[in-house]
Amino acid sequence: MLNRRNFLKTGLMTGAAVIPTSVGLDALDPVSTLSAEGNVAPSSSVSKPKLIPLPPRLASIDQRTQSWQQKIRRVGQTNMTEHDPAVMNIEEWADYWHNAEADIVFISVTGILAFYPSKVQFHRHGKFLQGRDFFGECVAAAKKRNMRVVGRMSPDLNWGDALEAHPEWAMRHLDGSVQFSEEEPRLFKTCMFSTYMDDYVPAIMREVNSLYDVDCFYTNGWPPIGSLPNCHCAICSKLPTAGTPAYWRVFNDRVFDLWQKYDAIAKEKKPDSFFFANLGGNVRGGPNLDRLGKIAAWFQADNQGRTYDDPAVWGCTLQSRVCNAVLDGKFAANVTAAYSTGAVTWRNASKNPAEANMWLNETLAGGMVPYYHFVGAENGFGEDRRWQKVGTDYFRWTAQHDAHLATRRSIANVGVVMGQSTQLLYPGPTTMRSRAYMHETTQGIYDALLRGRFAFDFVHEDRLEPEHLSRYRALLLPNIAMLSDRQCQQIRDYVGSGGSIMASFETALYDENLNQRAGFGLADLLGINKAGDVIGTTGNAYYARIESQHPILDGFSNTNWLPGAQNRIPLKPLQNPVLTVVPGFVRYPPELAYPPAPHTDEPAVVLRELGYSRTAYFPGDIERSYWLTGHGDLLRLLHNTIRWIMHDEFIVHVQGEGFVEMLSWETTPGYSIHLLNYTNPNTHHGWLQATYPLGPQTIRMKLPPGVSVKSVELLRAGQSVPFALKKQMLQLTIPRIEDYEVAAITVS
Ligand SMILES: [Zn+2]
């Protein structure tokens, strides 16, 4: 990993960028929105991106030092139902995954229903098991075909006889009553703080280990993803209040302890076995992902498709950036449901092939391993078999390109701080108390970064040390409300050593315990002073008045006002503001829709230059307001500001039409640039039904000294393309993209 000194040597953090002074250009017009650098013509029309060289390449990997799971490239699962022992054709099942070149399959042990003749008390045999060893037969069929096996467990629910014998195992409501499954009231919810997790689950693991040759163990349904438990059993009643920072710490300790305990049990039989569990809650993942990332051998991103809460198409790549923030290159797999996920679910019906394909594309583009999943095997191997060809075709295509699709490290030069505690625990400003608040904030910055075609990573809030930050030219803090004093100091150190930051709204206004500070934790760094509490919008939102010219205003002309945001924190006046606040006023009646005070000295943005570092702070929730409105002015302002703090330094530049997500990697053969085509009427809602191909995309990047290019291959199109390499500047053009393309660059 590069440290800052290396970066300084290689010139990544140095050099004089030419920042043009503001030029009055035409306002956004429909032609320029589709023709310039990114998806909306940003300041690129006036300032040219400056390509900086890629860091020196990593040393080659000694295959012998890699764990077996790091060599896994395809994962398959037919999620077994109680009825499957009566109807599933095991040979057909095993042949399907083998023909799809799956390296490993999930087979159900469970914990709710035993798929083998378990002797563990309360491990109820499925009613169609009839004494048969269904699990054992499946394991044998998989092993015969050289596929590895994950023993899949479910510790989250159990039956009435267990409840009668162990009432302490149940999660309880506030009134003491048992929490039952909402769909199947015969099943009670088990409490993760109870002995169910200490005794029952280990007993099953040890039994399976004694009987079968499984390669690792996995639990579905625990730990919770995306939310925290709310239990009032005798144990939990003594814990801190659910949903608070103090509770989160206790919750994390328990998850961490159980995870290590289960991992040790898995290793009792084979030292290279391990335990893993679902972790895919995106930026809102339940357990602390930094802590678990350090011990997890397999990051299981249970992020199977778009949901009502997350309707944007990029849910899977967003998940990948979360994985990459905590894994240091370790193994991650993301599940693609071949069945119908969403607000209305059909567990046993195939989903649109275009949608399933895009989720698999995103998995690969994000550096994760594709994992394809269907539920049940009625009538031999499924009543609805349409999903099968989709999976086989996709998996077989990937198998031809494993070397290029396995990633080593992201080459992004923008870091976006992923405040997991803010995502989970911060309630939003007083006017808007809802956990949707941070979701909208995240989607806003994500959408803006995609449209600007920035190469960016997520950075976990607990990984702000120089070894994690030095690779980034700029760090973005989109309303990262909760930051400890230590984290604030780490950000100060980052800026002190040459980095730039952009922050917004309540960033660092709260400490790690959600206690509000008197002022911002980064007030000194950002040069800001709070003048009051959050001001929301009643009627007409506030505006930002242009006071002076600045590169962040490139492209705006013929207006004195820009839209502000929905909510803002008032700041004390500063010298020479670039934008000042025009406070919100009446929306209706229009007779009163004018500002009572046409001019104020309240800053609407604060910009600073500290040596080569630049800082930018927006007192409004600008990313979220952009997400809610799609206003092009907010997008332009975000793009201009990010480019200004970065001195316009790009590490990869992709020029062409359309709405595209770009991910860029160093690989063992060279580099891979992944482009996902989101130019589609269903990008923000509903599933993809078709693809809308894009024309030429030109990629430019500057290779490290001494690295030359042997070939550039387009993996989806299955063809080589010409390239030019001059003074280490590589340029190539992808002539056409269907839904996805990978430019695989082989170097020498
Ligand atoms: Zn409990």
Side-chain angles (χ1 to χ4, degrees):
M1 190 170 296
L2 284 169
N3 59 32
R4 177 156 304 279
R5 187 172 297 169
N6 287 343
F7 264 78
L8 287 167
K9 276 187 193 157
T10 57
L12 292 184
M13 304 292 284
T14 60
V18 180
I19 304 298
T21 52
S22 176
V23 183
L25 285 187
D26 296 339
L28 276 172
D29 65 77
V31 177
S32 64
T33 56
L34 281 176
S35 61
E37 306 292 344
N39 303 290
V40 172
S43 57
S44 54
S45 50
V46 287
S47 61
K48 283 242 178 337
K50 178 184 151 197
L51 277 158
I52 50 157
L54 289 160
R57 288 179 59 75
L58 296 166
S60 57
I61 305 171
D62 181 351
Q63 295 280 333
R64 291 167 303 182
T65 64
Q66 282 197 299
S67 59
W68 64 261
Q69 69 273 15
Q70 283 179 296
K71 296 170 190 165
I72 296 282
R73 295 301 312 159
R74 283 158 294 279
V75 183
Q77 184 186 4
T78 305
N79 207 334
M80 288 144 186
T81 72
E82 181 178 31
H83 196 220
D84 281 346
V87 293
M88 188 173 112
N89 181 328
I90 292 178
E91 290 299 304
E92 196 180 357
W93 161 82
D95 279 339
Y96 172 77
W97 292 113
H98 180 56
N99 290 334
E101 302 192 42
D103 300 305
I104 191 164
V105 286
F106 280 63
I107 303 176
S108 285
V109 170
T110 141
I112 300 172
L113 286 172
F115 285 81
Y116 65 102
S118 175
K119 295 191 175 68
V120 174
Q121 198 179 11
F122 308 116
H123 198 193
R124 180 181 292 205
H125 295 190
K127 64 184 171 193
F128 300 99
L129 194 63
Q130 311 281 359
R132 186 177 154 198
D133 188 2
F134 183 72
F135 177 77
E137 291 171 38
C138 291
V139 171
K143 292 281 171 174
K144 197 170 87 185
R145 291 163 179 82
N146 289 320
M147 294 188 289
R148 288 186 180 262
V149 168
V150 181
R152 175 189 180 276
M153 304 172 64
S154 245
D156 51 333
L157 300 166
N158 211 318
W159 304 91
D161 53 339
L163 179 62
E164 211 164 285
H166 288 283
E168 76 282 7
W169 281 356
M171 287 181 78
R172 302 275 168 174
H173 294 290
L174 191 54
D175 65 2
S177 60
V178 172
Q179 296 188 24
F180 290 99
S181 160
E182 286 78 17
E183 290 191 61
E184 175 48 86
R186 290 178 300 162
L187 289 163
F188 71 95
K189 295 183 184 176
T190 58
C191 176
M192 63 172 263
F193 288 92
S194 74
T195 55
Y196 187 80
M197 303 297 279
D198 298 290
D199 301 337
Y200 178 76
V201 175
I204 294 174
M205 288 181 73
R206 289 200 167 99
E207 184 178 58
V208 169
N209 242 350
S210 74
L211 296 170
Y212 307 104
D213 180 20
V214 301
D215 295 282
C216 53
F217 288 89
Y218 151 83
T219 54
N220 183 64
W222 181 86
I225 50 175
S227 60
L228 299 173
N230 191 358
C231 176
H232 300 271
C233 75
I235 298 169
C236 292
S237 303
K238 297 191 182 81
L239 302 179
T241 308
T244 60
Y247 178 85
W248 196 42
R249 278 193 285 278
V250 174
F251 166 84
N252 281 321
D253 288 345
R254 176 68 171 164
V255 171
F256 201 77
D257 287 349
L258 285 174
W259 191 293
Q260 289 186 305
K261 179 174 183 167
Y262 297 165
D263 195 60
I265 294 169
K267 287 176 167 54
E268 283 171 1
K269 185 172 182 186
K270 288 195 289 192
D272 66 352
S273 182
F274 54 85
F275 165 78
F276 68 105
N278 279 344
L279 290 175
N282 252 325
V283 290
R284 213 168 41 216
N288 183 302
L289 297 177
D290 165 58
R291 280 186 76 179
L292 277 184
K294 290 187 173 98
I295 59 166
W298 173 317
F299 193 117
Q300 169 80 350
D302 186 23
N303 190 327
Q304 305 200 29
R306 295 197 235 185
T307 63
Y308 183 78
D309 290 330
D310 285 303
V313 70
W314 53 75
C316 182
T317 45
L318 200 152
Q319 174 70 59
S320 77
R321 296 179 199 267
V322 173
C323 292
N324 295 322
V326 298
L327 276 188
D328 295 325
K330 285 194 293 182
F331 181 86
N334 191 88
V335 192
T336 292
Y339 60 86
S340 307
T341 46
V344 183
T345 300
W346 291 278
R347 266 288 210 175
N348 309 83
S350 304
K351 72 170 33 151
N352 296 0
E355 179 77 7
N357 273 316
M358 185 56 90
W359 214 253
L360 292 163
N361 295 337
E362 291 178 39
T363 307
L364 290 171
M368 304 183 294
V369 165
Y371 168 159
Y372 199 51
H373 173 214
F374 198 77
V375 175
E378 290 296 313
N379 196 16
F381 193 40
E383 296 278 13
D384 179 347
R385 298 170 178 239
R386 293 169 294 175
W387 61 276
Q388 292 173 10
K389 186 171 185 315
V390 176
T392 313
D393 288 352
Y394 201 92
F395 270 24
R396 284 184 173 169
W397 167 74
T398 67
Q400 296 168 39
H401 304 292
D402 282 340
H404 285 295
L405 293 172
T407 59
R408 292 205 60 195
R409 66 169 169 184
S410 162
I411 54 174
N413 67 338
V414 179
V416 181
V417 175
M418 166 202 154
Q420 199 189 342
S421 48
T422 301
Q423 296 281 352
L424 266 174
L425 308 168
Y426 160 80
T430 49
T431 50
M432 274 283 313
R433 296 184 83 86
S434 153
R435 91 176 200 173
Y437 198 86
M438 283 312 293
H439 176 259
E440 291 158 357
T441 304
T442 306
Q443 295 290 34
I445 191 68
Y446 204 90
D447 182 297
L449 288 165
L450 298 199
R451 289 178 197 274
R453 297 189 175 186
F454 293 96
F456 67 99
D457 291 333
F458 281 169
V459 177
H460 195 276
E461 65 197 6
D462 292 334
R463 294 196 176 199
L464 300 178
E465 299 85 0
E467 69 257 37
H468 292 117
L469 298 190
S470 62
R471 73 186 80 169
Y472 302 115
R473 185 69 200 83
L475 202 57
L476 312 183
L477 296 126
N479 193 33
I480 307 303
M482 295 169 67
L483 287 170
S484 67
D485 288 349
R486 178 169 177 267
Q487 288 162 337
C488 289
Q489 187 55 44
Q490 289 173 320
I491 292 165
R492 264 184 224 106
D493 293 344
Y494 169 72
V495 173
S497 58
S500 293
I501 62 168
M502 181 180 87
S504 64
F505 196 45
E506 297 204 283
T507 295
L509 191 56
Y510 297 84
D511 68 11
E512 72 277 24
N513 293 313
L514 204 53
N515 294 321
Q516 189 172 339
R517 294 186 168 99
F520 294 99
L522 295 172
D524 54 337
L525 185 68
L526 296 166
I528 53 176
N529 281 298
K530 190 165 165 275
D533 294 329
V534 171
I535 299 173
T537 289
T538 308
N540 212 331
Y542 77 94
Y543 298 84
R545 176 184 288 282
I546 297 173
E547 298 282 357
S548 58
Q549 294 200 335
H550 191 280
I552 72 159
L553 302 176
D554 282 354
F556 293 115
S557 67
N558 206 24
T559 179
N560 301 324
W561 286 2
L562 301 177
Q566 187 178 46
N567 302 287
R568 76 178 194 280
I569 298 179
L571 298 181
K572 290 182 183 162
L574 288 165
Q575 294 281 313
N576 306 319
V578 172
L579 295 171
T580 54
V581 168
V582 178
F585 42 84
V586 173
R587 180 185 61 85
Y588 185 87
E591 289 87 335
L592 299 179
Y594 66 97
H599 195 270
T600 73
D601 54 5
E602 181 189 332
V605 69
V606 179
L607 307 166
R608 297 182 94 194
E609 298 196 55
L610 308 154
Y612 197 62
S613 303
R614 289 174 171 170
T615 71
Y617 170 76
F618 288 99
D621 47 1
I622 180 171
E623 300 93 348
R624 180 177 157 275
S625 295
Y626 164 63
W627 177 249
L628 295 179
T629 62
H631 203 300
D633 286 354
L634 298 181
L635 182 63
R636 180 183 290 266
L637 198 55
L638 285 167
H639 282 180
N640 285 352
T641 306
I642 296 167
R643 294 186 63 161
W644 178 72
I645 62 168
M646 292 176 70
H647 294 262
D648 256 312
E649 291 180 2
F650 277 68
I651 194 118
V652 182
H653 191 254
V654 183
Q655 188 165 6
E657 290 187 350
F659 184 24
V660 162
E661 178 162 15
M662 185 267 290
L663 292 106
S664 48
W665 299 93
E666 183 174 331
T667 61
T668 296
Y671 300 95
S672 60
I673 311 299
H674 297 246
L675 298 179
L676 296 147
N677 176 11
Y678 296 158
T679 316
N680 196 299
N682 295 108
T683 285
H684 286 90
H685 177 75
W687 290 342
L688 305 187
Q689 299 181 22
T691 59
Y692 299 80
L694 285 176
Q697 308 287 325
T698 297
I699 299 173
R700 288 193 306 143
M701 52 201 280
K702 196 165 190 179
L703 303 184
V707 174
S708 106
V709 175
K710 281 210 290 211
S711 64
V712 179
E713 197 185 345
L714 304 182
L715 302 186
R716 283 309 264 172
Q719 64 180 77
S720 294
V721 286
F723 61 90
L725 183 64
K726 200 173 164 186
K727 291 184 180 168
Q728 294 310 102
M729 186 69 78
L730 173 67
Q731 181 168 325
L732 61 105
T733 297
I734 299 174
R736 175 186 163 94
I737 302 181
E738 299 285 334
D739 59 338
Y740 173 45
E741 191 51 271
V742 187
I745 299 157
T746 302
V747 302
S748 57

